[in-house]
Amino acid sequence: MTPTTSTSPTTPTTTHSLAIEAKGLRKAYGDKTVLDGIDLAVPAGTVFSLLGPNGAGKTTAVKILSTLVSADAGELRVGGHDLALAPQAVRAAIGVTGQFSAVDGLITGEENMLLMADLHHLPRQEGRRTAAELLERFDLTDAAKKPASTYSGGMKRRLDLAMTLVGGPRIIFLDEPTTGLDPRSRHNMWAIIRGLVADGVTVFLTTQYLEEADELADRIAVLNDGRIAAEGSAEELKRIVPGGHVRLRFTDPVAYQSAAVALREVTRDDEALALQIPSDGSQRELRSILDWLDSAGVEADELTVHTPDLDDVFFALTGPTTAVSSQANQANQPKESVR
Amino acid sequence: MSTSALSLAVRDSSTMLRRNLLHVRRYPSMTLNLLLTPIMLLLLFVYIFGDVMSAGIGGGGADRSAYIAYIVPGLLVMTIGSTVIGAAVSVSMDMTEGLIARFRTMAIHRGSLLIGHVVGSVLQVLASLVLVGLVAVAIGFRSTDATPLEWLAAFGLLALFALGLTWIAVGMGLASPTPEAASNMATPLILLPLISSAFIPADTMPGWFQPIAEYQPFTPVIETLRGLLLGTEIGVNGWIALAWCVGLTVLGHRWSTASFKRDPK
């Protein structure tokens, strides 16, 4: 509106700056190709999740992007710095919490934090304050004076992440941050990660839990066999696979048979005595299905609503069956061109 | 730029050193275990084998105190060999844990972790040398009129030899897949003194074995130390000892930094 904004024809603020950018990333160990030319683009301040089965190459991707190992090929930028040319500048911008506990078990939690403060060259006072604040925030104050080797799995993970945050990194890599944690610790970790995002930090997360990617990530890339099989938001990915359904289960084979005949347009599972009716799981559709069942005189012993989740996507994309994966690839075509 | 790089190196290395000294203070048992070997051998050779061994020293007829004087320089050098095994093990422990990945992804001086280990290990060696020296004095070791300068030279030689052996031990720690393997790989550092002139003169050994005793780092260092503390002939041993110290330091440093730079698996 104001004339002062028209000083430059190209406004750089409109192009979202990328925190992590990879083009044609390749890595092989010997003759085993781990990453076969993957492209990634993570806008600053967002959560990006790399999802894939064990051995898909997730950890290798994190190791390369966090300067731990070098790539064989690819144009890689993290925090605006070229990985090959300015690795120290990249390191100054990032924080990494790897899959395996990166705490010094021989010293206390507090000493671990102060070690990080010293390595980030914080003044003594500020280091002590930062350490105390983070220990408090991660609920480790009571255990601060105990050797880290005595911590439980969840506590070690929290200490690990607390150590990563000492330098105030703007980009954080989390490699399977909740693997091996009990459900409560996992939810705690999610809350912590959401807190980071609220502070404007960019999070690059790998996980084999679809629920986790669904909960946390703005964008998800499914990595399979060293390639990105699909990429998009959780909702976009869910659209790749066939929709949800209502499942009716019977205990009496006779009731099952008569219901199957009465309903006709359903998918039968004779072994489980179950019928599947396509549905998007909305209240309106559910009511019409129930009305339909009532009018047909069908009474199931159990009714469950199944909405398509990332599990379906995951299995469709990473499964060994070619029929499903070709279907998924087709669905993925337009998305590729959008990107 | 170079001064700031240097101050970064000093700062990060001293942080890593503090971490290592904290480990030693928290878990002194490892250091004490390594110290046990030279002290046990000292007492064993003096009080159990001493009378027989001393009969073969200096043309026979030497008494126990002469044998103490003979073996203490050897045991001081052996103390170095045994203490640096600790460096190989703790470097290997660091490399097999997730913490090393954290250090590698931080904007810290690249060599600081290894320098911290080396300086920590050398300090540990010096402390161990003082302890073994005190035991030696307690059982009757006396230097024959060594001047302060000779004492200083002896101490300097021990420190330099400790530096060389520590860098070699660090290289062994980096080359080993597990701490146990590192401990095994570093075992020669405590076995070599046994086949040096530490316990008996090299020229009393069988002829075919003498080259093994002579052409290894421990013998010239021990002979030089004897010369400085007991006034025996040093000859070329001093220069050979210095050459070994410098050579081991350069070799160990090259080896260690090259293996540390390599991409981790």
Side-chain angles (χ1 to χ4, degrees):
Chain A
M1 283 295 184
T2 51
T4 47
T5 52
S6 62
T7 45
S8 108
T10 54
T11 45
T13 42
T14 51
T15 59
H16 218 69
S17 68
L18 291 177
I20 301 165
E21 202 180 353
K23 285 193 192 109
L25 169 55
R26 281 176 192 283
K27 179 72 182 177
Y29 286 109
D31 54 2
K32 190 189 181 314
T33 302
V34 182
L35 295 174
D36 195 6
I38 67 171
D39 298 342
L40 299 168
V42 183
T46 65
V47 182
F48 183 89
S49 177
L50 199 55
L51 183 68
N54 288 333
K58 304 188 296 291
T59 297
T60 303
V62 168
K63 280 182 173 172
I64 290 171
L65 293 171
S66 65
T67 76
L68 200 53
V69 301
S70 49
D72 294 341
E75 231 179 279
L76 311 170
R77 295 181 77 80
V78 173
H81 304 284
D82 188 297
L83 267 172
L85 299 178
Q88 283 293 71
V90 171
R91 290 179 188 125
I94 64 171
V96 188
T97 293
Q99 200 171 340
F100 300 104
S101 171
V103 307
D104 187 338
L106 299 179
I107 59 180
T108 69
E110 187 181 38
E111 285 162 348
N112 268 291
M113 295 298 287
L114 293 175
L115 173 66
M116 289 301 115
D118 285 344
L119 290 176
H120 280 104
H121 309 140
L122 300 184
R124 189 154 291 267
Q125 279 291 329
E126 194 189 333
R128 294 204 165 275
R129 204 182 58 236
T130 307
E133 278 171 10
L134 283 167
L135 286 169
E136 174 76 39
R137 178 170 157 197
F138 286 76
D139 200 18
L140 290 166
T141 306
D142 290 342
K145 304 279 185 199
K146 295 193 185 111
S149 56
T150 64
Y151 285 17
S152 70
M155 287 163 77
K156 264 189 199 150
R157 267 331 148 83
R158 294 206 301 275
L159 176 61
D160 208 324
L161 190 51
M163 288 167 72
T164 300
L165 297 182
V166 169
R170 301 306 297 159
I171 301 167
I172 294 180
F173 291 92
L174 301 172
D175 191 10
E176 303 201 7
T178 63
T179 297
L181 293 188
D182 60 60
R184 181 184 297 276
S185 303
R186 174 168 303 159
H187 279 90
N188 284 344
M189 189 57 82
W190 288 354
I192 289 167
I193 294 169
R194 286 198 193 95
L196 293 175
V197 179
D199 293 343
V201 169
T202 307
V203 176
F204 186 101
L205 173 90
T206 77
T207 183
Q208 43 180 325
Y209 301 116
L210 308 128
E211 191 193 356
E212 188 160 293
D214 203 355
E215 283 276 335
L216 298 171
D218 298 308
R219 283 187 81 74
I220 300 167
V222 181
L223 187 64
N224 189 41
D225 228 5
R227 290 169 177 278
I228 303 284
E231 196 197 324
S233 67
E235 292 310 311
E236 285 172 325
L237 290 179
K238 284 175 194 169
R239 261 178 250 141
I240 293 175
V241 292
H245 56 262
V246 167
R247 183 177 154 98
L248 304 173
R249 206 175 59 78
F250 300 83
T251 45
D252 180 10
V254 179
Y256 168 72
Q257 280 301 340
S258 60
V261 171
L263 297 175
R264 280 199 308 273
E265 306 256 309
V266 294
T267 312
R268 299 173 54 143
D269 183 349
D270 289 344
E271 258 178 54
L273 300 184
L275 301 172
Q276 288 184 4
I277 306 165
S279 155
D280 63 1
S282 70
Q283 186 185 344
R284 184 187 305 268
E285 249 200 71
L286 213 53
R287 182 172 293 126
S288 69
I289 289 175
L290 289 173
D291 289 344
W292 181 34
L293 293 178
D294 280 344
S295 64
V298 173
E299 193 152 328
D301 296 285
E302 187 187 291
L303 181 149
T304 48
V305 180
H306 184 89
T307 49
D309 57 17
L310 281 177
D311 274 312
D312 302 320
V313 182
F314 191 71
F315 290 124
L317 292 174
T318 64
T321 49
T322 48
V324 184
S325 65
S326 72
Q327 175 193 7
N329 282 340
Q330 270 175 2
N332 191 36
Q333 284 309 314
K335 219 173 303 299
E336 286 283 328
S337 59
V338 167
R339 195 156 48 81
Chain B
M1 182 60 203
S2 73
T3 49
S4 77
L6 183 67
S7 76
L8 181 75
V10 171
R11 189 168 188 173
D12 290 341
S13 301
S14 55
T15 299
M16 293 299 190
L17 171 63
R18 276 204 302 283
R19 167 175 172 258
N20 286 319
L21 295 182
L22 199 56
H23 286 174
V24 176
R25 217 171 69 208
R26 274 308 137 69
Y27 301 89
S29 56
M30 168 107 178
T31 316
L32 293 178
N33 273 340
L34 295 169
L35 202 56
L36 213 58
T37 313
I39 290 180
M40 288 290 291
L41 285 175
L42 177 62
L43 299 178
L44 184 75
F45 272 83
V46 170
Y47 290 107
I48 313 292
F49 308 149
D51 291 336
V52 178
M53 301 292 282
S54 57
I57 305 287
D63 59 3
R64 179 179 285 170
S65 69
Y67 188 60
I68 292 179
Y70 182 82
I71 68 165
V72 163
L75 278 160
L76 287 176
V77 175
M78 189 179 201
T79 304
I80 301 175
S82 105
T83 310
V84 299
I85 293 177
V89 173
S90 58
V91 165
S92 174
M93 268 170 72
D94 268 358
M95 297 306 288
T96 46
E97 282 179 9
L99 193 59
I100 184 66
R102 181 187 291 287
F103 289 148
R104 282 181 193 272
T105 54
M106 291 175 74
I108 57 178
H109 176 71
R110 293 258 90 188
S112 59
L113 180 71
L114 297 186
I115 296 172
H117 272 293
V118 167
V119 177
S121 171
V122 170
L123 290 179
Q124 225 178 312
V125 167
L126 296 182
S128 299
L129 284 173
V130 169
L131 277 175
V132 173
L134 286 177
V135 172
V137 170
I139 64 169
F141 174 77
R142 296 293 179 270
S143 158
T144 53
D145 57 66
T147 65
L149 195 68
E150 282 171 322
W151 272 109
L152 203 65
F155 201 72
L157 177 66
L158 287 170
L160 205 58
F161 194 53
L163 182 69
L165 284 192
T166 298
W167 272 116
I168 294 290
V170 166
M172 289 171 165
L174 290 168
S176 306
T178 63
E180 289 80 12
S183 175
N184 290 340
M185 198 174 183
T187 304
L189 296 181
I190 200 167
L191 290 182
L192 271 179
L194 290 175
I195 53 171
S196 73
S197 67
F199 297 99
I200 54 169
D203 55 23
T204 63
M205 295 174 182
W208 61 270
F209 194 78
Q210 283 182 21
I212 299 176
E214 273 168 32
Y215 298 108
Q216 57 132 308
F218 284 87
T219 297
V221 173
I222 291 168
E223 292 305 324
T224 306
L225 212 54
R226 280 194 184 118
L228 292 170
L229 297 182
L230 305 168
T232 56
E233 183 70 31
I234 295 179
V236 292
N237 278 318
W239 296 111
I240 298 173
L242 265 183
W244 271 111
C245 290
V246 173
L248 288 174
T249 305
V250 171
L251 186 78
H253 179 263
R254 285 263 175 97
W255 183 28
S256 300
T257 42
S259 10
F260 189 72
K261 266 187 200 146
R262 218 168 291 146
D263 270 2
K265 269 279 170 180

